[in-house]
Amino acid sequence: MGSRRPGAVALSRVVRVVPEVPSFAVDDGFAYSVPEGMEAEVGAVVRVPLGGRRVRGWVVAVGEPPRPRLRPILSRSGDLAVFDAALLGVLRWAAMHYVAPLAAVLAKTTPPNLPRGVRLAAPPRGVHRRARLVVGPGPAYDIIAAAISPVTAAGRSAIVVAGTIPEAEATAEALSARLGIDVPAVSSQRGGAAATAAWVRLATA
């Protein structure tokens, strides 16, 4: 077995972090070491040193090549990752499509307050498929309920996007009644605590 260079960090303890800086210059992120006792998977929200500041960032890759004198992650925010590798690919596409810094897009995936002591529910076994259903203007609650009922019955999740906040709230109420499950409505008008609570319910259901 070959020996590492003096001061190098083991492969599994090096991650790439995109800092919350509204600039295309940081889209590729920077390598940081992970302190002993800390977990930092893709999607973890962390605090890292950057240019004399302490900034929020997102882990976008793990297992970076070892190198000497890496600066360590300072802390982790919450226990839940806000995206996985598959969703990160979609977020990168969105950043490119809308010509936005990746950090600006990642910030939109993060709830105002990340909870601790919360774990994701075990994903159901079997093949996961993505499907889209587009309906026209006007209430279409029965159509939407029929489309997502097999998904929720299998223990998986579905996202319904409405054009306005009143439509979102009415749709959530109607689907809750039709499907007999909790359907939270999340909008920009809700406070930080309410948005975080809805996010946790969706992430751990």
Side-chain angles (χ1 to χ4, degrees):
M1 295 178 62
S3 60
R4 296 198 306 271
R5 292 174 295 172
V9 181
L11 181 67
S12 61
R13 304 302 298 173
V14 179
V15 298
R16 183 158 292 271
V17 176
V18 171
E20 189 172 14
V21 176
S23 170
F24 293 102
V26 301
D27 274 8
D28 290 335
F30 304 98
Y32 289 89
S33 64
V34 181
E36 291 297 328
M38 179 186 294
E39 296 181 6
E41 71 277 21
V42 170
V45 181
V46 296
R47 298 282 174 175
V48 294
L50 183 69
R53 297 182 296 152
R54 174 189 173 109
V55 301
R56 184 171 73 162
W58 297 268
V59 176
V60 296
V62 298
E64 286 280 304
R67 64 199 73 177
R69 295 182 294 277
L70 280 178
R71 303 183 75 180
I73 292 174
L74 299 175
S75 63
R76 173 170 178 162
S77 301
D79 296 324
L80 293 177
V82 295
F83 52 80
D84 58 15
L87 180 55
L88 176 60
V90 177
L91 298 173
R92 287 189 184 278
W93 173 88
M96 293 178 60
H97 183 76
Y98 293 104
V99 195
L102 180 59
V105 176
L106 298 183
K108 297 298 183 182
T109 71
T110 308
N113 305 291
L114 284 168
R116 290 197 175 276
V118 178
R119 295 294 180 185
L120 289 173
R125 296 181 178 180
V127 178
H128 292 251
R129 297 184 176 88
R130 291 186 175 90
R132 293 183 176 89
L133 171 67
V134 179
V135 296
Y141 307 137
D142 291 332
I143 297 175
I144 298 172
I148 67 176
S149 178
V151 177
T152 58
R156 295 191 285 269
S157 59
I159 297 176
V160 179
V161 180
T164 66
I165 292 174
E167 288 176 340
E169 294 174 344
T171 300
E173 182 178 355
L175 293 180
S176 294
R178 285 164 171 77
L179 299 174
I181 60 175
D182 182 24
V183 181
V186 182
S187 72
S188 58
Q189 287 188 350
R190 304 187 70 177
T196 297
W199 187 90
V200 171
R201 284 158 58 192
L202 292 170
T204 58

